Amino acid sequence: MRHKRAKAYKRLMALYHLSFGFREPYQVLVDSEMCSISTSLKMDLVKQFAIVLQGSVKPMITQCSIVELYKLGPSEQAAVELAKTFERRKCNHREAISGNECIASVVGDSNKHRYVIACQSQVMRASLRGVPGVPIVHLNRTVMVLEPPSDATIQAKRRAEEKALLPSDPEQKQIKTDGPVDVPKRKKGPKAPNPLSVKKKKVRTDDSNQTTGQTKAGGKRKLEEDGTSRPTSDMQDSGDDKPRRKRRRRITVTAEAPD
């Protein structure tokens, strides 16, 4: 099987698994015509089912289908032996009916037992497409094919998804008892500015302005009286913190006259 086809079959079986509850081993209900064709082609039917359905399988057949194989004569003895290896599905028919009618009665209107149907009859396949959640397998020459989901299957899947979104019964009862919840409406009006973008105001007192003005004036007066550019104590505090260099005094030595 090609990789692309195997991926498509895997997606199909995932759909049946999630939406309709199919699980391994898949119960494959085989009709009499499928058994006779597989023996004539010398095909390993169980192995092909496992490859197509991407999982383990449990082949099954009804008593009516085995009786139909017996009626075909001794030429179909190999098909009868193959059918006997499958699990017998009880159909509760006292008198044997045709295999297609028997399979249709077992599947019913909803396929509640989750059967995968392997049949060759086109009429039977057309009638089973009207039942949601029925995977259908058939042989196309020598290749086993899994049919795409029918319209009834897709609609049932959508209904299940919509139902899952709705509230459950206890939630609906709680909603009815609580009643509608009044949500307070927000008043519309001018919005305040962003506090992070607003520049903070600098607060200055009058005392601090007076003291700073006095110190500046006092420093200027001292400089004018001394006639030097030596900074005052206030200016030293606000300026550089480097230590001042001490001046060295020059010592003059005078020579004394001899007596």
Side-chain angles (χ1 to χ4, degrees), residues 2-121:
R2 293 180 181 178
H3 182 65
K4 188 175 181 181
R5 186 181 293 177
K7 284 178 70 177
Y9 289 166
K10 192 171 185 179
R11 284 196 297 268
L12 286 178
M13 294 312 297
L15 182 147
Y16 289 115
H17 171 71
L18 295 173
S19 301
F20 300 98
F22 279 75
R23 60 185 181 275
E24 296 184 33
Y26 300 117
Q27 300 180 108
V28 184
L29 199 57
V30 189
D31 70 339
S32 57
E33 192 174 356
M34 178 75 76
C35 292
S36 61
I37 292 173
S38 64
T39 53
S40 62
L41 295 174
K42 295 181 180 179
M43 181 187 293
D44 190 351
L45 204 58
V46 179
K47 185 179 178 181
Q48 290 297 319
F49 286 149
I51 292 171
V52 171
L53 300 178
Q54 301 286 313
S56 58
V57 296
K58 184 166 66 173
M60 307 176 78
I61 195 167
T62 62
Q63 183 63 33
C64 298
S65 297
I66 292 177
V67 171
E68 199 171 33
L69 284 173
Y70 275 114
K71 289 179 180 178
L72 295 175
S75 60
E76 298 294 333
Q77 188 62 33
V80 173
E81 296 298 328
L82 176 65
K84 286 181 179 179
T85 60
F86 299 159
E87 185 177 331
R88 196 73 54 89
R89 171 64 170 85
K90 292 181 180 180
C91 56
N92 298 324
H93 294 139
R94 293 183 179 179
E95 294 182 0
I97 58 177
S98 65
N100 292 341
E101 293 177 2
C102 182
I103 291 173
S105 65
V106 169
V107 172
D109 297 333
S110 59
N111 192 20
K112 64 178 181 179
H113 296 292
R114 302 178 185 86
Y115 291 119
V116 179
I117 306 302
C119 67
Q120 289 296 111
S121 174

